Amino acid sequence: MDLETIPGVGEKTASALTELDDPERALRDGDVAALARAPGITHGRAARIARGAIRREHDDPGGFLATDRAREVYREVLSLLKDRTVTRYGAQRLETIYPSPCRSRIEEVQAFAREAIEHEPTEAVLEALEGVEPLDRASDVRVRDRCLATRDAERYSEARDALPELSVEVVEDARGLAELARGYATVVALDESFAGVDVDGDVQVRPDALENPAEVVPERPLAFFARNRTSLRAAVAVHRAADLEAPCDLAALEDGLERLADDGTVAGDDELDRLTVAVDDLDAAASTAESVANDHLREAIREQDVTIEGADLLSLVERGAGVDSLLSRELADEYAAAVEAAREELVDSLDLDAGEAEIARRAFGDEPTFPVEREEAVVSRLREELTAAKERRAARLKRELAADLADQREGARQLVRNALELDVELAIAQFARDFECTMPAFGADDGERGEAGFAIDGGRSPLLDEPLEEIDPVDYAVSGVALLSGVNSGGKTSTLDLVASVVVLAHMGLPVPAEDVRLQRFDDLHYHAKTQGTLDAGAFESTVREFADLATGGDGSLVLVDELESITEPGASAKIIAGILEALDDNGATAVFVSHLAGEIREMAAFDVTIDGIEAVGLVDGELQVNRSPVKEHLARSTPELIVEKLAGESQAVFYDRLLEKFD
């Protein structure tokens, strides 16, 4: 894949992406978390790169969201979706789902969404998801006690790339191997020509070492699984709670993780634990054994009366004998018992086996001394034996566990990816449930755009800050160009928001908040929000230019405009809006213009423009009672007319009747 063909990816970014293990997979799956691990790539940048890759795949020109308000609606519905994710990855992944005019992209996401909404976001699954995070590559592993050796410079470069955890050395002959063996616990020779070389130290000739990295550097898979143990265990729990088909043997994976310590070493092996404790406690155990012997001997001396006749004392003095000779002569049995107690203490406290015990017993000699002291040379040898045994067992266990886990590495990766993708699916499912959504229909399956315009039945705007049950459902359909009239606070802007959110979600390929929706595939969405106050001359000119560009476009645009008349004087506004609607109608665009000047605009338009109305059915205790669904071909009455009508009905005064006649 030529990464630089992705929109927004230049040479520098492409170079950073090649640092990833599998950039093509990450781009194909929209894996924002993986893309963000590339040097210098932020999560926001990663999401844009993923969208760029999707656009290239579907030949998507971009620019569907053509105005600020259209982009705001997208961000708002996207935020509602992201709020329903559990993992940070889920929120990032949703950013790769964007509104597109391309049929292939819409259908791709629709297929994903249809499966997603079948899921049930249970508490057990959501709780398990809380522990799932994207996997850490654990690329910082370094092994200091081993090295690779080769005669060949090309092999040297290959080895450095394949096993970066180890030092790689170039040697000429057996003498070079011998020198390396003095500095490393293990030397792995990569060249077949070294076979049969006899040198001191642990030198292994392994021409296949680069093809079997887990055998040479078991720390690599162990570090990966240790670093990601929490996430992997959580992903296992997700698969079980959601009854997902697992890409690996869950029981075997759990067993491997159970045998793994946080630092990447092997855990749960009794023999390794015994040796580790013995090495760590050796000095303390030897000191304790000395104390046992000396305490025993002191007690024996206190309890025994020793009588030495003058001739014997003179003989001892003449020979220069001291306490040791006295112990040997008078307390030989007690000394032997004290030494035996020390030996037993050392062997028992360290839980030594027969061979180790044989060395340990020599740490206290038979020759009487006081105080009793251990033989440091013997203790050092015992330490060497225990350490060597510990390292041999640890190395063997690491190789065995690494071999077991290495085969499951790709399955483990997929396990976590499945769990993270499930979070995205559950967010979509929860959104669909919360807003009682349905999948929209885009018309015929023959590749054409489908029926013109849109038709929404039972729609509820997700942008309203109200409980769903308190939102009145709206039915509204437009084919071509329409004016939307209605009283203040009657729901005209909310209707535009509903249409915009439905169209945005539909073109994202997601379910929409309505009972039924049919619409065409639009090329772009132009949503112009209500302006605050009359625009100055420069801003007015800019706005008119924008509509001039839009009016000369194709028939694939959806245009939503909220009270454009506020940009200038009412009389001029009606003329300008009428001219814009004429151009949009000529081009076959779909448009809804909210306006309080609907009647005036219709009179000035050169075609029979449709006027729909959100009708207020009356006033109750000063509150408007409104039918939120626009009535087709109906100019809605204004709020002042309703108030005058109410007053006329409550009073016999002719004044109110005369005012009411002005509205006819």
Side-chain angles (χ1 to χ4, degrees), residues 560-626:
L560 306 176
V561 182
D562 195 359
E563 295 189 20
L564 186 61
E565 62 262 28
S566 62
I567 66 173
T568 187
E569 296 84 358
S573 294
K575 296 174 183 177
I576 291 169
I577 294 172
I580 293 172
L581 292 178
E582 290 170 3
L584 292 175
D585 182 66
D586 288 343
N587 288 323
T590 301
V592 179
F593 277 58
V594 167
S595 179
H596 289 289
L597 304 176
E600 294 88 335
I601 295 169
R602 179 168 56 184
E603 291 177 2
M604 295 182 180
F607 71 107
D608 188 14
V609 60
T610 297
I611 297 180
D612 303 326
I614 295 179
E615 181 74 322
V617 295
L619 285 167
V620 178
D621 297 328
E623 295 290 332
L624 280 172
Q625 301 298 303
V626 180

Side-chain angles (χ1 to χ4, degrees), residues 230-293:
T230 298
S231 186
L232 289 168
R233 283 175 167 166
V236 170
V238 168
H239 278 70
R240 287 189 170 135
D243 196 24
L244 297 180
E245 183 178 351
C248 62
D249 187 332
L250 298 184
L253 177 59
E254 286 182 309
D255 177 68
L257 295 174
E258 189 66 27
R259 292 154 57 196
L260 191 60
D262 291 338
D263 60 357
T265 58
V266 177
D269 182 76
D270 293 340
E271 177 62 7
L272 181 59
D273 291 343
R274 182 190 72 82
L275 291 168
T276 300
V277 171
V279 172
D280 293 342
D281 293 353
L282 178 55
D283 286 333
S287 296
T288 300
E290 282 181 348
S291 297
V292 167

